[in-house]
Amino acid sequence: MPTIREVAARAGVSPATVSRVMKGEVPVNAETRARVEAAISALGYAPNAFARSLASNRLGGVGLVISHLAGPFMGRVMMTLEATLRQANVSLLVASGGGEAEREQEAVDFLINRRCDGLIVHADALADETLSALAATTPLVVFNRRVAEIEAHCIYLDNECGGYLATRHLLEQGHRHIACLTGPLKQQDAAGRLAGYHRALGEWGIEADTRMIIEGDFVEGSGERGMTTLLARGLPVTAVVAGNDDMALGAMTLLRARGIAVPQTLSLVGYDNEACSRHVVPSLSTIHAPLEEMAQDAAERLLMLVAGDALPPAMSFTPTLIERETVAPPKV
Amino acid sequence: MPTIREVAARAGVSPATVSRVMKGEVPVNAETRARVEAAISALGYAPNAFARSLASNRLGGVGLVISHLAGPFMGRVMMTLEATLRQANVSLLVASGGGEAEREQEAVDFLINRRCDGLIVHADALADETLSALAATTPLVVFNRRVAEIEAHCIYLDNECGGYLATRHLLEQGHRHIACLTGPLKQQDAAGRLAGYHRALGEWGIEADTRMIIEGDFVEGSGERGMTTLLARGLPVTAVVAGNDDMALGAMTLLRARGIAVPQTLSLVGYDNEACSRHVVPSLSTIHAPLEEMAQDAAERLLMLVAGDALPPAMSFTPTLIERETVAPPKV
DNA sequence: GGCCATCATGAAACCGGTTTCATGATGACA
DNA sequence: TGTCATCATGAAACCGGTTTCATGATGGCC
């Protein structure tokens, strides 16, 4: 593995000049540059990443903190992040936190200790203040979450809009008794979706019935349990908005077991447009998020921050409704 | 950010001693150690990762090369890898190759240039020789693939066994005309599954009919197309072994469209036990791989290699059959 | 008491880049 | 022709650890 000094010796220049040629920003005499470049390719020189990092105090890589690596859409997000970052010759370090605040903080510390140039954080459990404090010390982008004080650092979906779209779709089909199986309401995404549900009902002049709103945890089982609770209450529900596709799937499992026909007796809308939702029978109507665009924006914003550039204004991403087979007009 | 020299000054020792206390392997006088430790915690000292890497020529991190980050089970694999590695205080760098040999090679080079201490490679497109050559220069573990020359470096599923289990299950139910929708046969996993199919048929004294074997590419659409082709051939097929769950799902979609009842008219077995397979209707019988155990073994083997230890003998992981609703005895 | 092995420790070299500062060359301008 | 700005380049300091080698202290043994 040749060093910069060997290259310099071969080209008959000093290491400093080789360094200047490598980064290409400072002007170097054309003929000197050619000699150096020849030496570089002759020796197959590649700069030592450690030495470079030590001297410049930059890693050339960013960290990704993620709550649930095995979550339904992390693959799509990571794929785009990785591709965008690698194009900029920036590497991606991954640490996971499993949705517990303490372990997420550990993950952050782990990456900070590695001297990452910046951080992309996709964490449920960390507090808003922790994140905005972090943003003050490190280039930071927050994924799938909005923290007001650092809005331009946040890449998030307009969940209120998504909840609204789902509910409005059911209203337009004629439903008037619409229940809502939410995610954990201390999480912003779940709360936003519920707010959209309320707004849609409000626009139709319908007062929300709290007995029709059941909090779950975004996991399948809670969809099943929530639906059980809902049925037990004996309300005249004709449609359900689920917190996400997993919960919708859980609900569908229960409904099938109880012999309740979807969508004939009960309509259902999910959220997230997971791969699976297209395959279940009947296929699940749901809300789609432009994850790839969001991930690309996240990577680009982080690169700007790392470069010291100012961020463009904050922007939320808009979800869209995917109509499939779980929604039909209510029976009269 | 305090340096080792500041700690040394405060503790009244030399930087060398602080360094020795930090790694804890060389004996240090108990009282000196206590003083140094006090200084470390008083200053909140954390060693600079760059300097450490430069001096010791080790990154303290390993690279993961992955063909398809968004693939159906990468989440589960990465989760376990990350957790196991982080326990050893080793960070994880990720690069993806998208299933093209050239880009996978680029990903490998990218990580090698970052001076990773080792590499976990989960790549379809790279050649066996490339991998065994790489193993000679870098601590290397190959995931989900067997390369004979570096067998102990490989973590793989016994796909032949999986194919056998799927086929035998159908045979035991009384099926005698079993088709096979395979993945791309140049890939080892697809070829292994097909070999298991052949072995099971052989044990039952049935000669395989090449018209019943259709090659696809592990993606849903190829399941649909394969099934179309199969039906068009008008063979007396009563059951199908699919290359993976995605292909099985594609086949189910087509069968539903054609009004062919699963499992009454046609039985179906998938492979991979994706989250989705439990939710489709009827739920998909499939083959389960112990991915978490495999990932943990991969991480542990890599850590051994990095530490310079010898590897334990190679071991393949055994898949299991998950019986659900897509298999029934053939109609008489 | 003298000699040698053992042990803890410090001084300094080293890893391989980047960056600052000094220098010599070149050319413009009066 | 003399002076000063400009430019390309080199020397050397620097980043912050690790590691080698030397040294001084301690103690066991004859």
Side-chain angles (χ1 to χ4, degrees):
Chain A
M1 211 108 287
T3 72
I4 200 173
R5 293 174 219 266
E6 297 174 47
V7 175
R10 179 168 182 130
V13 299
S14 76
T17 302
V18 178
S19 175
R20 290 190 261 258
V21 169
M22 286 299 294
K23 22 195 309 191
E25 308 199 338
V26 203
V28 174
N29 178 292
E31 192 251 342
T32 311
R33 152 167 283 121
R35 264 209 335 279
V36 171
E37 277 165 355
I40 286 174
S41 66
L43 265 49
Y45 168 71
N48 180 310
F50 303 151
R52 175 177 286 203
S53 291
L54 177 59
S56 61
N57 202 33
R58 314 180 62 253
L59 173 62
V62 300
L64 172 64
V65 177
I66 232 166
S67 297
H68 301 284
L69 264 173
F73 46 67
M74 284 325 305
R76 284 167 62 198
V77 172
M78 283 195 57
M79 193 172 68
T80 307
L81 283 180
E82 192 274 338
T84 310
L85 292 171
R86 187 134 67 92
Q87 258 182 345
N89 201 34
V90 167
S91 55
L92 182 65
L93 282 79
V94 177
S96 171
E100 301 157 41
E102 198 178 336
R103 291 204 48 232
E104 287 181 3
Q105 183 64 53
E106 250 177 62
V108 170
D109 294 343
F110 181 80
L111 293 172
I112 297 268
N113 263 343
R114 286 283 185 287
R115 305 286 204 280
C116 286
D117 297 333
L119 245 41
I120 299 173
V121 175
H122 181 174
D124 306 328
L126 290 176
D128 275 11
E129 301 78 52
T130 311
L131 292 175
S132 47
L134 192 57
T137 48
T138 309
L140 176 74
V141 163
V142 178
F143 196 83
N144 196 34
R145 174 166 170 178
R146 179 170 169 268
V147 179
E149 305 89 67
I150 49 171
E151 175 129 24
H153 298 245
C154 298
I155 314 297
Y156 56 94
L157 190 68
D158 186 344
N159 280 298
E160 200 272 349
C161 172
Y164 173 82
L165 287 175
T167 313
R168 189 182 72 181
H169 178 52
L170 292 167
L171 289 162
E172 285 172 350
Q173 297 290 313
H175 293 274
R176 292 300 176 264
H177 302 280
I178 305 175
C180 190
L181 262 36
T182 76
L185 291 174
K186 66 179 164 89
Q187 272 178 231
Q188 211 174 60
D189 43 5
R193 292 167 199 189
L194 179 60
Y197 163 84
H198 278 120
R199 174 159 66 96
L201 290 185
E203 281 188 7
W204 259 256
I206 298 175
E207 190 160 351
D209 178 343
T210 54
R211 290 171 306 166
M212 289 195 186
I213 299 173
I214 295 175
E215 183 173 352
D217 61 5
F218 277 150
V219 174
E220 200 191 328
S222 81
E224 217 167 320
R225 286 193 303 277
M227 186 54 87
T228 309
T229 309
L230 189 63
L231 293 178
R233 290 188 180 162
L235 303 163
V237 171
T238 65
V240 172
V241 177
N244 70 357
D245 284 357
D246 284 345
M247 289 182 69
L249 259 29
M252 281 174 75
T253 304
L254 182 89
L255 293 169
R256 194 179 316 117
R258 295 280 178 94
I260 298 174
V262 175
Q264 293 79 3
T265 308
L266 201 71
S267 287
L268 189 60
V269 182
Y271 203 113
D272 278 349
N273 192 22
E274 288 177 31
C276 206
S277 59
R278 212 154 39 91
H279 290 296
V280 293
V281 180
S283 60
L284 183 65
S285 292
T286 189
I287 300 293
H288 174 84
L291 288 180
E292 284 80 7
E293 287 172 52
M294 291 171 68
Q296 178 156 358
D297 191 46
E300 285 169 358
R301 274 175 198 254
L302 187 58
L303 291 174
M304 287 178 195
L305 282 172
V306 168
D309 298 343
L311 287 180
M315 177 181 88
S316 79
F317 286 79
T318 306
T320 50
L321 173 73
I322 310 267
E323 296 187 43
R324 295 210 184 95
E325 301 168 354
T326 50
V327 174
K331 280 191 294 195
V332 273
Chain B
M1 210 103 294
T3 73
I4 199 171
R5 293 173 222 267
E6 298 175 47
V7 175
R10 177 167 183 130
V13 299
S14 76
T17 301
V18 178
S19 174
R20 288 190 264 257
V21 169
M22 286 299 293
K23 23 196 305 188
E25 307 200 338
V26 204
V28 174
N29 178 292
E31 192 251 341
T32 312
R33 152 168 284 123
R35 266 208 333 281
V36 171
E37 277 166 356
I40 287 174
S41 67
L43 266 50
Y45 169 70
N48 180 309
F50 304 151
R52 181 181 287 219
S53 291
L54 177 59
S56 61
N57 201 33
R58 315 178 63 253
L59 172 62
V62 301
L64 173 64
V65 177
I66 235 168
S67 298
H68 300 284
L69 264 174
F73 45 68
M74 284 325 303
R76 284 168 62 198
V77 172
M78 283 195 56
M79 192 172 69
T80 308
L81 283 179
E82 192 272 341
T84 310
L85 292 171
R86 187 135 66 92
Q87 259 182 344
N89 201 32
V90 166
S91 56
L92 182 65
L93 282 80
V94 177
S96 170
E100 300 158 41
E102 199 177 335
R103 291 206 48 234
E104 287 181 3
Q105 183 65 53
E106 250 177 63
V108 169
D109 294 343
F110 181 81
L111 293 172
I112 296 270
N113 263 342
R114 286 282 186 287
R115 306 283 205 281
C116 286
D117 297 333
L119 245 42
I120 299 173
V121 176
H122 181 175
D124 306 327
L126 290 176
D128 277 10
E129 302 76 53
T130 311
L131 292 175
S132 46
L134 192 58
T137 47
T138 308
L140 176 75
V141 163
V142 178
F143 196 83
N144 195 33
R145 175 165 169 179
R146 179 169 170 269
V147 179
E149 306 88 65
I150 49 171
E151 176 129 22
H153 297 245
C154 298
I155 314 296
Y156 57 94
L157 190 70
D158 185 345
N159 279 298
E160 200 271 348
C161 172
Y164 173 82
L165 287 175
T167 313
R168 190 182 71 181
H169 178 53
L170 292 167
L171 288 162
E172 285 172 351
Q173 296 289 314
H175 293 274
R176 293 299 176 266
H177 302 280
I178 304 173
C180 191
L181 262 36
T182 77
L185 291 173
K186 66 182 165 83
Q187 272 178 232
Q188 211 174 61
D189 43 5
R193 291 167 199 190
L194 179 60
Y197 163 86
H198 277 121
R199 174 159 66 93
L201 290 184
E203 281 188 6
W204 259 256
I206 297 175
E207 190 159 353
D209 179 343
T210 53
R211 290 171 306 165
M212 289 195 185
I213 299 173
I214 296 174
E215 183 173 352
D217 61 6
F218 277 150
V219 175
E220 200 191 328
S222 81
E224 216 166 321
R225 287 193 303 277
M227 186 54 87
T228 310
T229 310
L230 189 62
L231 293 177
R233 288 187 182 161
L235 303 164
V237 171
T238 64
V240 173
V241 177
N244 68 357
D245 285 357
D246 284 345
M247 290 182 69
L249 258 29
M252 281 174 75
T253 303
L254 183 89
L255 292 169
R256 193 178 317 116
R258 295 278 179 95
I260 298 174
V262 175
Q264 293 78 4
T265 308
L266 200 71
S267 288
L268 190 60
V269 181
Y271 203 112
D272 279 348
N273 192 23
E274 288 177 32
C276 207
S277 59
R278 212 154 39 92
H279 291 297
V280 294
V281 181
S283 61
L284 183 63
S285 293
T286 189
I287 300 293
H288 174 83
L291 287 181
E292 284 80 6
E293 289 172 52
M294 290 171 70
Q296 177 156 358
D297 191 45
E300 285 169 358
R301 274 175 198 255
L302 187 58
L303 291 174
M304 287 179 195
L305 283 172
V306 168
D309 299 342
L311 287 179
M315 178 181 89
S316 78
F317 286 78
T318 306
T320 50
L321 173 72
I322 309 267
E323 295 187 44
R324 295 209 185 94
E325 301 169 354
T326 50
V327 174
K331 282 191 292 198
V332 274

